[in-house]
Amino acid sequence: MKLLKEKIQQEGIILSESVLKVDSFLNHQIDPDLTVAMGKDFYQHFSKGKKVTKVLTIESSGIAVGLTTALEFGVPLVFARKKKSLTMNNEVFVSKVYSFTKQETNEITVSKKFLSADDHVLIIDDFLANGEAALGLVSIVQQAGASLAGMGIVIEKAFQDGGQKLRNAGFHVYSLAQIIRLDHEKKKIEFREEA
Amino acid sequence: MKLLKEKIQQEGIILSESVLKVDSFLNHQIDPDLTVAMGKDFYQHFSKGKKVTKVLTIESSGIAVGLTTALEFGVPLVFARKKKSLTMNNEVFVSKVYSFTKQETNEITVSKKFLSADDHVLIIDDFLANGEAALGLVSIVQQAGASLAGMGIVIEKAFQDGGQKLRNAGFHVYSLAQIIRLDHEKKKIEFREEA
Ligand SMILES: Nc1nc2c(ncn2[C@@H]2O[C@H](COP(=O)(O)OP(=O)(O)O)[C@@H](OP(=O)(O)OP(=O)(O)O)[C@H]2O)c(=O)[nH]1
Ligand SMILES: Nc1nc2c(ncn2[C@@H]2O[C@H](COP(=O)(O)OP(=O)(O)O)[C@@H](OP(=O)(O)OP(=O)(O)O)[C@H]2O)c(=O)[nH]1
């Protein structure tokens, strides 16, 4: 997505060879118009197949783009919780997600009330790195007996193995921007060029 | 807001005399069209004064309605973090927020890059109960030297003292629904009637 790549080039900060900071429009401050454009892009891509009935994401940075995507499809958004919320009941799907950074395993949950075998789910998230969170969401879709339309990712770090893991497992992954390399020394972000 | 009150009556679950569960459209599953309507309502209410330059909320449940509100105003959304995120820097405004439920004090943060003295900020959140989180956000606006347009709240529990605290402090608080009472026995939600 051209507009997104321009925004990344203008405002993205390379923190290291493996971490890109995009707090100014995606992870802390959010650009609403860009977020709407991303939702429309995901809709264009995923509306051609079987009818999507739910958009599934995970708190917090997935919510904004998950919402604008759900808006285009005219379906509800569900966001997985990383920690127990005040009113979360015990009837939940649970998935374990390993964090390489924190070196710990955490649970993510989705209430059974909001995903059923009748659903055709589109997973949306902001970053795809090692794919653990994405696989956790896939597991929840599978536990619900729902079918998976695919995964829409805003920024895929193609130098990490999440994309490969997911595609090798047969899932359809569509990223608005794929980063091949973060050159920390030259402060240069290299994208995979659009076909 | 009539549409919201109807939704609360249809789908809200009274968990106790003080807690209402609205997971099906506000806190876990999100109704995108309703969320857009809420954003338009907040815009109608707060667009009459000095020009709002930023919408400020707090992760996670404030993000969706914060986004649709920011969309109407054509300004960025900023969401305060409750815990350190991967790329959060040390140049942050910090505020302590006490949780009566957890009986602990936590810190919420907003990067100094995203709030300045030139901003006129509209705070948006899903629930107003004891007002601690709202006061935390107000403190951050004040630390930035920004002015406060007011606070837009989806559901105010008027039987708790958050609304009174904020209004007594001189802040303009506008709630889309004010709940006077949660009758756990009769399973009845009592709203303050619209003027
Ligand atoms: N800005 C930025 N973030 C990255 C990058 N790579 C991964 N992340 C995000 O950092 C967080 C790291 O998550 P961990 O669970 O600790 O996973 P990991 O160490 O195994 O990668 C995740 O945020 P999250 O769970 O989505 O948090 P939230 O923002 O939704 O609260 C992930 O999306 C990157 O290059 N830049
Ligand atoms: N559903 C529901 N939630 C309520 C009600 N009253 C308060 N809350 C929410 O519960 C959470 C309680 O926060 P605490 O910080 O523990 O505060 P408290 O015990 O002093 O009220 C907050 O969610 P949060 O921080 O906004 O969490 P998140 O949903 O954004 O992750 C608050 O908005 C209620 O009657 N119903």
Side-chain angles (χ1 to χ4, degrees):
Chain A
M1 181 179 165
K2 188 160 171 290
L3 188 62
L4 172 65
K5 287 176 185 173
E6 289 171 357
K7 191 89 174 180
I8 292 170
Q9 292 286 17
Q10 288 161 14
E11 302 192 21
I13 297 169
I14 300 170
L15 293 185
S16 71
E17 292 289 312
S18 59
V19 183
L20 173 72
K21 183 171 181 169
V22 283
D23 269 18
S24 65
F25 65 89
L26 188 65
N27 293 118
H28 187 27
Q29 175 164 269
I30 294 173
D31 178 337
D33 293 334
L34 176 67
T35 309
V36 165
M38 297 195 290
K40 290 185 187 293
D41 194 312
F42 285 133
Y43 176 76
Q44 280 306 317
H45 187 85
F46 286 103
S47 57
K48 304 188 173 82
K50 177 177 163 190
K51 198 169 180 309
V52 166
T53 65
K54 288 261 156 119
V55 173
L56 174 66
T57 189
I58 181 166
E59 57 179 346
S60 302
S61 297
I63 293 171
V65 61
L67 178 74
T68 57
T69 305
L71 208 45
E72 293 301 314
F73 278 99
V75 302
L77 170 71
V78 177
F79 64 92
R81 287 286 191 174
K82 292 176 188 168
K83 48 164 180 58
K84 262 206 162 296
S85 81
L86 185 73
T87 59
M88 183 67 80
N89 59 29
N90 296 330
E91 292 293 312
V92 289
F93 300 113
V94 185
S95 186
K96 293 198 186 322
V97 177
Y98 181 70
S99 161
F100 288 86
T101 313
K102 304 182 194 101
Q103 301 229 319
E104 63 187 28
T105 300
N106 291 304
E107 289 188 344
I108 68 172
T109 58
V110 173
S111 168
K112 291 186 179 183
K113 287 212 277 178
F114 306 129
L115 275 188
S116 79
D118 299 331
D119 282 312
H120 189 55
V121 184
L122 172 59
I123 291 172
I124 295 290
D125 208 1
D126 59 324
F127 269 93
L128 176 56
N130 54 50
E132 292 300 303
L135 286 167
L137 291 172
V138 169
S139 163
I140 283 174
V141 171
Q142 292 171 336
Q143 289 177 48
S147 52
L148 184 63
M151 262 167 280
I153 299 295
V154 179
I155 299 173
E156 177 181 348
K157 291 193 289 178
F159 54 85
Q160 288 183 263
D161 65 350
Q164 190 171 342
K165 268 193 224 168
L166 294 167
R167 290 176 180 109
N168 285 352
F171 303 119
H172 180 66
V173 182
Y174 170 64
S175 306
L176 303 183
Q178 286 182 326
I179 296 177
I180 315 176
R181 185 168 177 226
L182 292 170
D183 192 328
H184 189 47
E185 199 193 310
K186 293 206 185 98
K187 303 219 177 302
K188 212 161 141 298
I189 301 160
E190 294 176 30
F191 292 111
R192 176 158 289 146
E193 282 320 309
E194 256 148 273
Chain B
M1 182 180 164
K2 189 159 172 291
L3 189 61
L4 172 66
K5 288 177 185 174
E6 288 170 359
K7 192 89 174 180
I8 291 170
Q9 292 286 17
Q10 287 160 16
E11 301 191 23
I13 298 168
I14 299 171
L15 294 185
S16 72
E17 292 289 312
S18 58
V19 182
L20 173 73
K21 183 170 179 168
V22 282
D23 269 15
S24 66
F25 65 89
L26 188 66
N27 293 116
H28 187 27
Q29 175 165 266
I30 294 173
D31 178 336
D33 293 334
L34 176 67
T35 309
V36 165
M38 297 196 288
K40 290 186 188 292
D41 193 313
F42 285 133
Y43 176 75
Q44 280 305 318
H45 187 85
F46 286 104
S47 57
K48 303 189 173 82
K50 179 176 163 192
K51 199 170 180 306
V52 166
T53 64
K54 288 259 158 119
V55 173
L56 174 66
T57 189
I58 182 166
E59 59 181 344
S60 303
S61 296
I63 293 171
V65 61
L67 178 74
T68 57
T69 305
L71 208 46
E72 293 301 314
F73 279 98
V75 302
L77 170 72
V78 177
F79 64 91
R81 287 286 190 172
K82 291 175 186 168
K83 50 170 177 57
K84 259 203 163 297
S85 80
L86 185 75
T87 58
M88 184 68 80
N89 58 27
N90 296 331
E91 292 293 312
V92 288
F93 299 113
V94 185
S95 186
K96 294 197 187 319
V97 177
Y98 181 71
S99 160
F100 288 86
T101 313
K102 302 181 196 104
Q103 301 229 320
E104 61 185 30
T105 300
N106 292 302
E107 288 188 344
I108 67 173
T109 58
V110 173
S111 168
K112 291 186 180 183
K113 288 212 278 180
F114 305 130
L115 274 188
S116 80
D118 299 330
D119 282 311
H120 189 55
V121 183
L122 172 59
I123 291 172
I124 294 290
D125 209 1
D126 59 322
F127 269 93
L128 176 56
N130 53 50
E132 292 301 304
L135 285 167
L137 291 172
V138 169
S139 164
I140 283 173
V141 171
Q142 292 172 335
Q143 290 177 48
S147 53
L148 184 63
M151 261 167 283
I153 299 295
V154 179
I155 300 173
E156 178 180 347
K157 292 193 289 179
F159 54 85
Q160 289 183 261
D161 65 352
Q164 191 172 340
K165 269 193 225 168
L166 293 167
R167 288 175 182 110
N168 285 353
F171 303 120
H172 180 68
V173 181
Y174 170 64
S175 306
L176 302 183
Q178 287 182 328
I179 295 176
I180 316 177
R181 186 170 176 223
L182 292 171
D183 192 327
H184 189 46
E185 198 193 312
K186 294 208 183 98
K187 302 219 178 300
K188 213 158 138 299
I189 302 160
E190 294 175 31
F191 293 110
R192 177 159 289 144
E193 282 321 308
E194 256 146 277

